[in-house]
Amino acid sequence: MTNQAIEEIKVNGLQVFGEKSDDSNRELLEFIYQNDPIVNLLFNCSQGTEFESIRHDLVNLEVQGAKKLIEVLKEKKIEVNDLNDDELHVLYTMACTPLFEVITHRYPYNEALNFIDMMEAAMNFGWRRIIK
């Protein structure tokens, strides 16, 4: 999502950023359910393998993407609060946890949509903390 968000912000500013982000989250959920056996193995059966830290690794990817996005916001003269890596890590851990719970507990798709709504609310909270 980050590269798509960066391009969207470069072209349109923040007008449609939230909408694109929400669409991206739903696409991610569909991908997870279409690839359930593989995703389940990665998240629930990877202890002792190179994938055992997948949750942490995904959060770190999100943090790196957010840092790129924040730089673009600054280039566009959009005021932001400078959060350090630890603050961004906590923020993204909070935001990604609903998705991780959907995967861990293998909720039915319709129930998972509610968790995605929760994830979007957490990210909206986070971005309100970042953007002044």
Side-chain angles (χ1 to χ4, degrees):
M1 161 55 190
T2 302
N3 290 333
Q4 186 180 14
I6 288 171
E7 290 307 311
E8 194 64 47
I9 289 172
K10 284 181 178 178
V11 173
N12 297 314
L14 290 173
Q15 289 81 1
V16 294
F17 171 64
E19 183 180 311
K20 290 284 186 186
S21 178
D22 292 351
D23 290 346
S24 179
N25 290 334
R26 294 187 191 289
E27 288 170 13
L28 177 58
L29 185 66
E30 287 176 25
F31 174 85
I32 288 166
Y33 277 82
Q34 289 169 358
N35 296 280
D36 176 65
I38 296 166
V39 173
N40 181 51
L41 284 173
L42 288 170
F43 277 80
N44 299 325
C45 305
S46 62
Q47 188 173 4
T49 74
E50 64 185 293
F51 302 107
E52 69 183 341
S53 62
I54 190 167
R55 289 168 178 79
H56 182 75
D57 296 342
L58 289 174
V59 168
N60 283 339
L61 281 173
E62 289 293 320
V63 167
Q64 295 310 309
K67 290 167 65 174
K68 291 178 189 174
L69 194 52
I70 288 168
E71 288 306 312
V72 170
L73 293 172
K74 289 178 179 178
E75 289 170 12
K76 296 284 284 180
K77 307 291 186 225
I78 296 170
E79 288 188 63
V80 297
N81 292 308
D82 287 320
L83 300 182
N84 65 39
D85 284 1
D86 290 335
E87 291 169 321
L88 287 171
H89 185 83
V90 168
L91 174 67
Y92 274 89
T93 298
M94 173 192 71
C96 291
T97 295
L99 181 64
F100 298 159
E101 289 297 301
V102 163
I103 295 166
T104 299
H105 299 289
R106 302 179 89 184
Y107 288 100
Y109 182 80
N110 287 336
E111 287 183 42
L113 288 171
N114 293 328
F115 285 92
I116 293 302
D117 290 342
M118 189 183 307
M119 183 176 153
E120 291 167 359
M123 282 315 307
N124 289 336
F125 166 81
W127 280 103
R128 282 193 306 274
R129 178 95 167 94
I130 295 169
I131 299 171
K132 290 184 180 183

